[in-house]
Amino acid sequence: MKMYNLHIVRSPLQLINILEAIETLSLENNILVIIDRKSMSNNRQIQEVLHAIDYKWEMLFHIEKKSKTSFLDYVKLIKKIKAYHFKHIFTGDIDSISNVIIANLKHEKIFLVDDGTSTLKRHEALLQDSKLRFKDRMKLLRFNMFGLKAHKEYKLNFFTFFDISPKADETIVKNAFTHLKKQFNLSQSKSDKVYILGQPIYNKEIPEDIFIEHLEKILKHYQGKEIIYVKHRYENIPKAVAAVLQERAEIYTNKYPIELDFLIKQEYPRYITGFFSTALYTLKQMFNESEVTLFHIDGKHFFKTERAEVVENYYAFFNNNGFNIIK
């Protein structure tokens, strides 16, 4: 019987990690499912990664974002691939749609790939599955009308760039970006530019003036150096923030995820900084000689106490992994 591997992707970083998993585990007969998110820049970067890292997929399906529900597209997808037997299913999200897809397929192992620090929360059981609203439960029941299951229990394994220890009989496979670095022949010529990794947290998580205050600390710390502010793909920079940056930094919109962007440009960044972006961790994994520095934002500045606690856990994680954190 021919065995396949299924890969469900919703972000450019997920796609990079899945391509690395294919090489690390020597996977064959790979089927890719791309599910669009609301962000056009997110969906565009997925396509850019597909073009930059050429790979011949056995099959490729694309669930595009529509103004109305994509429900029937999911039904069609599941019915098309339901007859196949999957050795592995890789996904970057554990949500209702992923669960529906997984519940209806014959498979041997499920792997979660990284798309931020949610991997840590999932592994440590800090991310509890919230009860679905009645409206959402009704949406899932629609799949039953087409003879499909809405949910099934399964064991989760991890393909991750984080250093985590297995619990019980789960499988942890380390993602060291080995094949990605080989493919793009990692440059050893270090750039003296300072790269600030942007995060769309102003007005959403903390007040804009607090963000500017902490941004000023970074700019002052690296005064005299050429500074590049890497805009996050979800970021719409407000006028006040842009005004501060334009005086002392260049605002850069990257075509690819920042990890891939440096490799394609053949640039080895000497200085990388920011607040608590996961990319600070991944870039240190890829460019281990880079000086990666975090600037601390006190929990009292966050609108929500719960979010402040999560961010403090992020900082604790970075601290435990030897990162320099400036308060």
Side-chain angles (χ1 to χ4, degrees), residues 177-229:
F177 296 110
T178 304
H179 301 279
L180 188 65
K181 289 187 282 189
K182 279 183 182 177
Q183 182 173 351
F184 288 93
N185 191 23
L186 181 61
S187 171
Q188 297 302 314
S189 178
K190 295 182 180 63
S191 163
D192 282 329
K193 297 173 184 176
V194 177
Y195 287 91
I196 304 174
L197 304 189
Q199 282 187 264
I201 55 175
Y202 35 75
N203 299 324
K204 181 181 178 183
E205 297 185 21
I206 61 173
E208 188 175 307
D209 61 327
I210 295 297
F211 180 85
I212 290 173
E213 178 185 323
H214 287 76
L215 179 60
E216 292 272 12
K217 287 181 183 179
I218 298 178
L219 295 170
K220 184 178 180 181
H221 183 81
Y222 293 102
Q223 192 169 1
K225 297 185 181 297
E226 184 179 354
I227 300 174
I228 311 294
Y229 183 89

Side-chain angles (χ1 to χ4, degrees), residues 61 71-81 148:
F61 301 95
F71 166 71
L72 289 177
D73 292 331
Y74 292 120
V75 171
K76 290 175 185 176
L77 168 68
I78 294 168
K79 286 185 175 291
K80 279 182 182 178
I81 62 177
L148 300 176

Side-chain angles (χ1 to χ4, degrees), residues 24-118:
T24 301
L25 299 172
S26 301
L27 304 178
E28 298 179 343
N29 306 321
N30 295 290
I31 297 175
L32 178 64
V33 175
I34 298 172
I35 300 176
D36 280 353
R37 285 179 171 169
K38 290 180 180 179
S39 168
M40 292 298 293
S41 58
N42 176 84
N43 303 335
R44 185 166 53 248
Q45 277 199 9
I46 290 176
Q47 296 303 318
E48 295 292 355
V49 173
L50 275 178
H51 292 132
I53 306 176
D54 190 28
Y55 181 82
K56 188 175 181 180
W57 300 94
E58 187 84 11
M59 288 174 251
L60 193 156
F61 301 95
H62 187 184
I63 307 293
E64 297 184 29
K65 192 67 185 175
K66 298 179 179 178
S67 56
K68 295 184 179 180
T69 179
S70 301
F71 166 71
L72 289 177
D73 292 331
Y74 292 120
V75 171
K76 290 175 185 176
L77 168 68
I78 294 168
K79 286 185 175 291
K80 279 182 182 178
I81 62 177
K82 195 176 179 183
Y84 302 123
H85 194 127
F86 295 97
K87 188 172 181 62
H88 302 96
I89 297 178
F90 289 82
T91 179
D93 291 274
I94 301 298
D95 59 3
S96 57
I97 292 300
S98 295
N99 284 331
V100 169
I101 295 173
I102 291 168
N104 290 280
L105 302 180
K106 296 185 289 291
H107 63 271
E108 295 184 5
K109 236 173 185 179
I110 310 294
F111 277 91
L112 180 69
V113 299
D114 299 313
D115 191 29
T117 49
S118 59

